Amino acid sequence: VSFTRMEEWNGKGVSIVDEEGRELGMSKAAGQMGVLQTVLSRSCFLPIAPMVMPVLAMKALKGAVPFLTVGAMGVITEIVLITGCISGMLPVALAILPQK
C-alpha cells in the first residue's frame, strides 16, 4: 500500500468533491485518512476470518463428519473453508469503512 498510494499519503492528496461532483480542491489529510482506512480494512479486518473460522469449522466437522477432516479430504475441506472465508469476508471488510 505504501508504494501504490504514496501520492495520496505524502504527495498532493486526493480530490475533494461536493454532492454534485464538482471538484473543490485537493486534501492531503483526506488522502492520509483514505490510506489508513484501506490498510485497516484490508490488513486488519480481512485476515481475521480466514485465520479463525476454518479452525472452528474443522473442529465442528471433526465431531459431525470425521472423514472430512482426515488426510487429503481434510486438506481439501480446509482449502474450501479458507477460500469461502476470504471471498465472503472481502465484501464485509470493504463495507466496514464505506467511501463517499
Side-chain angles (χ1 to χ4, degrees):
V1 173
S2 61
F3 291 113
T4 59
R5 298 294 180 200
M6 187 62 70
E7 195 63 26
E8 285 121 2
W9 183 258
N10 284 331
K12 57 185 177 180
V14 294
S15 176
I16 304 297
V17 296
D18 62 6
E19 291 82 20
E20 291 140 13
R22 291 184 299 230
E23 188 171 330
L24 302 174
M26 300 296 284
S27 172
K28 188 174 178 180
Q32 290 175 345
M33 187 172 74
V35 171
L36 285 174
Q37 287 179 350
T38 300
V39 168
L40 184 66
S41 66
R42 280 24 161 242
S43 300
C44 296
F45 296 143
L46 182 59
I48 291 172
M51 288 191 298
V52 174
M53 294 172 122
V55 174
L56 298 175
M58 289 297 281
K59 285 186 179 190
L61 284 173
K62 190 173 189 174
V65 191
F67 75 91
L68 286 177
T69 62
V70 180
M73 197 60 167
V75 173
I76 293 169
T77 303
E78 201 161 354
I79 289 171
V80 168
L81 289 169
I82 292 169
T83 303
C85 286
I86 290 172
S87 59
M89 286 305 290
L90 180 60
V92 174
L94 295 175
I96 288 174
L97 301 167
Q99 302 295 310
K100 295 178 185 173

